[in-house]
């Protein structure tokens, strides 16, 4: 398996522009997580999906952020409009949730976002 | 407020030293405790998933123990090597339908050759 795939790997954009980050989870995994890495908060969960349904979006910073998972093999995280404080590394992770077990999460390589 | 605390925040050891770090988590509603290894410029990778009080897991020179009653887990590295240099994260999972993990800020380990 290719692992969790994220694109783009790097994104540089100007303040006010729309940014879309993409994630393809590991085939067969039914939970998908979007994280943001910052110096102050470490690894911060933004939202997670189970069976394509958003379960917990309490970490989404504000209305400028939105996430979708239209099918089991694809998810997007959108920021509109982007601001310099959104600059961070965004990780997508997936896991297999079966019989109520918290299996380990597999992380993608991350997208480094820079908003100027 | 659910908090996962890790200590120390950072650690510098010499090659060959053995070391350990601590993860503290709420002892109520415990379901699972995860340990991850995160090398600079890479992505976190799972080391262990522990669910039972008294669990001990081992992978090579790295091992972990779990005490759910008092809410702590230890990670041990025996004979540290420079390639062990990384941030070690723990994450706590609660009972219930919400599968999100509560993450600690990590212990940053530097092993000097």
């Amino acid at each position: 398996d290719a692992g969790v795939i994220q694109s783009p790997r790097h994104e540089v954009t100007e303040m006010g522009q729309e940014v879309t980050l993409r994630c393809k989870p590991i085939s067969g995994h039914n939970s998908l997580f979007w994280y943001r890495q910052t110096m102050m908060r470490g690894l911060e969960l933004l939202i997670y999906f189970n069976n394509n349904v958003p379960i917990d979006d309490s970490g989404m910073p504000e209305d400028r952020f939105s996430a979708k998972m239209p099918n089991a093999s694809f998810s997007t995280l959108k920021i509109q409009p982007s601001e310099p404080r959104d600059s961070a590394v965004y990780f997508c992770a997936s896991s297999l949730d079966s019989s109520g077990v918290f299996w380990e999460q597999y992380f993608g390589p991350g997208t480094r976002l820079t908003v100027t | 407020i659910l908090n996962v605390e890790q200590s120390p925040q950072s650690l510098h050891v010499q090659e060959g030293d053995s070391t350990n770090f601590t993860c503290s988590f709420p002892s109520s509603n415990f379901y699972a405790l995860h340990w991850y290894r995160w090398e600079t410029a890479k992505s976190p990778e799972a080391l262990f998933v522990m669910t039972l009080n008294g669990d001990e897991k081992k992978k090579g020179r790295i091992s972990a123990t779990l005490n759910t009653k008092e809410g702590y887990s230890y990670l041990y590295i025996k004979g540290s090597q420079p390639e062990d240099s990384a941030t070690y994260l723990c994450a706590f999972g609660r009972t219930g339908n919400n599968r999100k993990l509560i993450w600690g800020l990590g212990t940053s380990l530097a092993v000097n050759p």
Side-chain angles (χ1 to χ4, degrees), chain B residues 15-19 37 47-48 57-64 75-85 88 109 111:
Chain B
E15 183 175 355
D17 288 349
S18 293
T19 186
R37 182 171 177 272
L47 287 171
F48 306 114
K57 300 266 186 177
K58 187 174 181 182
K59 184 180 290 188
R61 294 178 292 99
I62 303 176
S63 60
L75 188 79
Y76 300 91
I77 303 179
K78 183 178 178 181
S80 303
Q81 299 296 310
E83 57 264 32
D84 296 328
S85 298
Y88 291 83
L109 173 67
V111 182

Side-chain angles (χ1 to χ4, degrees), chain B residues 30 38 56 98:
Chain B
F30 174 87
W38 193 358
E56 289 190 29
N98 193 324

